[in-house]
Amino acid sequence: MSAFACAICYGDPDSPMTNGLTWAILALALVVGCVLTGVVAFFVHANRAAASQAAPSTAPEEPRPLV
């Protein structure tokens, strides 16, 4: 009984199937990286917006006399 393995399982580095799989893995890693970058950018933006709204923009005014 003989078993046949594909180029990826067998380990032929010059096979078009191996090159395609390598590019597919890199493309998926790029997509995941972009999504995670977007999530981090959103939380950084939300944190900065919340901090700028919580901080007083000017010094408190002193009350005027009622003369």
Side-chain angles (χ1 to χ4, degrees):
M1 179 175 192
S2 63
F4 297 103
C6 65
I8 295 168
C9 298
Y10 187 67
D12 183 14
D14 296 327
S15 170
M17 189 183 298
T18 305
N19 291 334
L21 184 66
T22 301
W23 282 107
I25 291 170
L26 290 175
L28 287 174
L30 180 67
V31 168
V32 169
C34 288
V35 169
L36 289 177
T37 301
V39 169
V40 169
F42 169 75
F43 282 111
V44 168
H45 172 72
N47 191 17
R48 286 184 180 174
S52 69
Q53 289 179 357
S57 58
T58 60
E61 295 181 16
E62 293 186 24
R64 290 190 260 164
L66 297 174
V67 182

